[in-house]
């Protein structure tokens, strides 16, 4: 009897047990909120928009740091690349470049080489963009050799965004397959679009984007689950004040994925003529944001709630008139607000249950 009484005294009343558990619940909620807010803080631009050199932790222009390197090294020259870089295997080929997994000083790297002499201009434009746009948004350039049409960049084993769903199905990454991590990927993607639209060289349009698979192939998924733009071969410049607009190629574009202004406006009865095709601006990129984000959000628990909160901004992105679509900065601001709001809402119910 006395033993039962002592045992009963040792068990705290239900309200005391709830109170004891409350700090842990609050701690977990606070950690989730802090994680999201820290991400948003780190995602904020440091310095003027598009100024890659203003971002902390980056090497000076013309230099790189890779793997366990403590100091920045100059971009590798033709001579250094020929002596120090060893091809391992061919891992892909696009219209402009053949891609080889390679090795440099025990680091895996990517060596890209021109596929055809007719595409030299595209290749060199992509190299120029890689050099001037080096930032946290762009794959790291390690070296290049213009005479041999060769580019060396950092290797990311998870590959392009096309493989996102396959990646998160792997046991190692299943814990990252959540609505908030996927929303962070979408924020990364829109951050890149914002960066291109406010780049150091002006307003750039992502032209290699005629369908979803093509868009996803232009971006890399890093091992710490961020997004980098990788392919900058088709990145024309818009200059409204000078009356300079763009056309993404010289062939007719079809389908709902491309923006209305990118489609032939004169009907089926008039054969396509590039000379009669009107040019357009960067708002074509805005039209495509909802489709790319829809893929990135996937179909995990909570993703439909995210889509609901993004409904209005996505509807604005799909305005027929390009001038009525929001800027990339406005879309990015909305995405960040939704992430903060949903993290707060996710933390609140468990807290209220304990009170």
């Amino acid at each position: 009897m006395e033993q039962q009484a002592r045992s009963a005294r040792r068990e705290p009343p239900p309200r005391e047990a709830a109170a004891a558990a409350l700090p842990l619940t609050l701690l977990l909620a606070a950690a989730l909120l802090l994680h999201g807010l820290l991400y948003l803080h780190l995602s904020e631009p440091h310095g003027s928009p598009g100024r890659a050199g203003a971002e902390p932790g980056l090497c000076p222009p013309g230099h790189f740091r890779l793997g366990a390197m403590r100091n920045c090294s100059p971009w590798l020259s033709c001579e250094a690349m020929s002596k120090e870089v060893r091809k391992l295997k061919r891992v892909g080929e696009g219209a402009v470049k053949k891609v080889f997994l390679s090795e440099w000083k025990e680091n895996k790297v990517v060596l890209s080489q021109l596929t055809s002499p007719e595409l030299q201009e595209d290749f060199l434009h992509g190299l120029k963009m890689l050099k001037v746009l080096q930032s946290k948004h762009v794959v790291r350039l390690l070296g290049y050799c213009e005479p041999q049409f060769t580019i060396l960049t950092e290797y990311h084993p998870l590959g392009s965004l096309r493989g996102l769903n396959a990646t998160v199905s792997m046991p190692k990454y299943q814990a990252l397959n959540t609505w908030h991590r996927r929303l962070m990927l979408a924020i990364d993607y829109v951050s890149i679009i914002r960066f291109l639209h406010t780049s150091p060289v002006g307003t750039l349009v992502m032209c290699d984007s005629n369908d979803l698979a093509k868009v996803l192939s232009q971006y890399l998924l890093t091992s710490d689950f961020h997004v980098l733009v990788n392919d900058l071969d088709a990145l024309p410049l818009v200059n409204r004040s000078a009356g300079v607009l763009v056309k993404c190629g010289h062939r007719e574009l079809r389908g709902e994925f491309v923006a209305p202004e990118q489609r032939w406006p004169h009907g089926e009865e008039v054969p396509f003529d590039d000379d009669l095709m009107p040019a357009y601006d960067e708002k074509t990129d805005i039209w495509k944001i909802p489709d790319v984000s829809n893929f990135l959000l996937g179909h995990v628990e909570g993703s439909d709630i995210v889509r609901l909160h993004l409904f209005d901004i996505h509807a604005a992105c799909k305005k027929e008139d390009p001038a009525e679509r929001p800027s990339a900065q406005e879309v990015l601001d909305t995405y960040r607000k939704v992430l903060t709001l949903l993290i707060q809402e996710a933390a609140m119910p468990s807290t209220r249950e304990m009170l």
Side-chain angles (χ1 to χ4, degrees):
M1 193 69 179
E2 182 180 347
Q3 184 177 2
Q4 290 179 349
R6 283 199 304 269
S7 185
R9 283 196 299 270
R10 282 198 298 268
E11 295 177 2
R15 289 186 62 85
E16 291 182 16
L22 181 58
L24 178 59
T25 305
L26 289 174
L27 183 62
L28 292 173
L32 180 62
L33 180 60
L34 181 61
H35 180 258
L37 294 176
L38 179 61
Y39 174 86
L40 293 176
H41 170 72
L42 294 176
S43 300
E44 289 288 345
H46 299 272
S48 303
R51 290 184 60 84
E55 294 169 11
L58 293 176
C59 290
H63 295 71
F64 72 93
R65 184 165 47 225
L66 185 65
M69 291 172 58
R70 300 186 64 179
N71 300 316
C72 295
S73 172
W75 286 334
L76 301 184
S77 64
C78 294
E79 182 181 4
M81 288 173 61
S82 64
K83 289 182 178 179
E84 301 172 12
V85 177
R86 181 171 65 96
K87 286 183 185 178
L88 298 179
K89 63 177 179 178
R90 187 162 163 174
V91 293
E93 181 173 344
V96 179
K97 298 188 290 284
K98 294 177 288 188
V99 181
F100 299 86
L101 176 63
S102 304
E103 190 174 55
W104 174 74
K105 294 186 176 180
E106 300 184 350
N107 293 290
K108 293 276 180 28
V109 292
V110 174
L111 187 73
S112 301
Q113 294 181 319
L114 179 67
T115 57
S116 172
E118 294 82 29
L119 298 172
Q120 289 182 11
E121 186 177 345
D122 291 335
F123 184 93
L124 292 176
H125 177 73
L127 172 58
K128 176 185 176 182
M129 292 295 100
L130 267 177
K131 290 193 287 186
V132 300
L133 298 179
Q134 284 295 288
S135 71
K136 66 179 181 180
H137 302 295
V138 179
V139 69
R140 189 170 297 157
L141 178 63
L142 310 180
Y144 63 92
C145 182
E146 281 195 36
Q148 297 178 13
F149 297 98
T150 303
I151 299 173
L152 194 70
T153 53
E154 186 175 15
Y155 172 63
H156 292 278
L158 296 184
S160 80
L161 277 181
R162 291 181 66 173
L164 172 62
N165 290 329
T167 296
V168 294
S169 68
M170 298 165 56
K172 182 179 179 180
Y173 296 104
Q174 283 178 353
L176 299 175
N177 194 22
T178 61
W179 68 262
H180 62 278
R181 290 309 297 253
R182 282 178 168 268
L183 178 53
M184 287 176 182
L185 294 179
I187 289 174
D188 279 351
Y189 164 70
V190 177
S191 296
I192 292 170
I193 298 299
R194 188 279 311 272
F195 172 71
L196 295 178
H197 289 184
T198 58
S199 84
V201 295
T203 301
L204 298 167
V205 181
M206 190 56 143
C207 265
D208 259 345
S209 56
N210 297 337
D211 58 63
L212 179 60
K214 185 64 173 175
V215 172
L216 297 173
S217 70
Q218 310 302 304
Y219 297 88
L220 295 172
L221 180 64
T222 67
S223 297
D224 60 351
F225 252 61
H226 284 281
V227 180
L228 297 174
V229 63
N230 180 52
D231 196 330
L232 303 174
D233 297 339
L235 213 59
L237 183 68
V238 167
N239 187 340
R240 282 198 199 85
S241 60
V244 177
L245 299 176
V246 304
K247 285 190 280 189
C248 291
H250 304 286
R251 294 180 293 178
E252 182 177 3
L253 302 179
R254 296 176 178 268
E256 293 300 313
F257 186 81
V258 296
E261 63 271 23
Q262 293 184 281
R263 302 175 210 149
W264 178 241
H266 301 298
E268 294 288 341
E269 62 278 3
V270 180
F272 177 80
D273 184 342
D274 187 49
D275 292 334
L276 300 178
M277 179 67 199
Y280 35 82
D281 63 17
E282 77 280 5
K283 290 299 184 74
T284 58
D285 289 334
I286 304 300
W287 171 273
K288 297 159 189 173
I289 286 175
D291 300 284
V292 178
S293 290
N294 186 54
F295 170 84
L296 295 176
L297 290 173
H299 298 283
V300 296
E301 183 179 355
S303 62
D304 286 342
I305 300 297
V306 177
R307 289 185 178 89
L308 184 63
H309 280 77
L310 295 176
F311 180 85
D312 288 342
I313 192 67
H314 283 173
C317 292
K318 292 293 188 179
K319 294 279 189 181
E320 289 285 320
D321 183 353
E324 295 182 3
R325 295 174 204 152
S327 67
Q329 183 65 62
E330 290 170 322
V331 178
L332 181 58
D333 290 343
T334 301
Y335 274 42
R336 286 172 170 164
K337 288 175 184 175
V338 167
L339 176 61
T340 301
L341 174 66
L342 291 178
I343 288 177
Q344 290 172 339
E345 289 182 351
M348 288 301 293
S350 58
T351 305
R352 284 196 298 267
E353 287 174 7
M354 300 306 299
L355 295 174

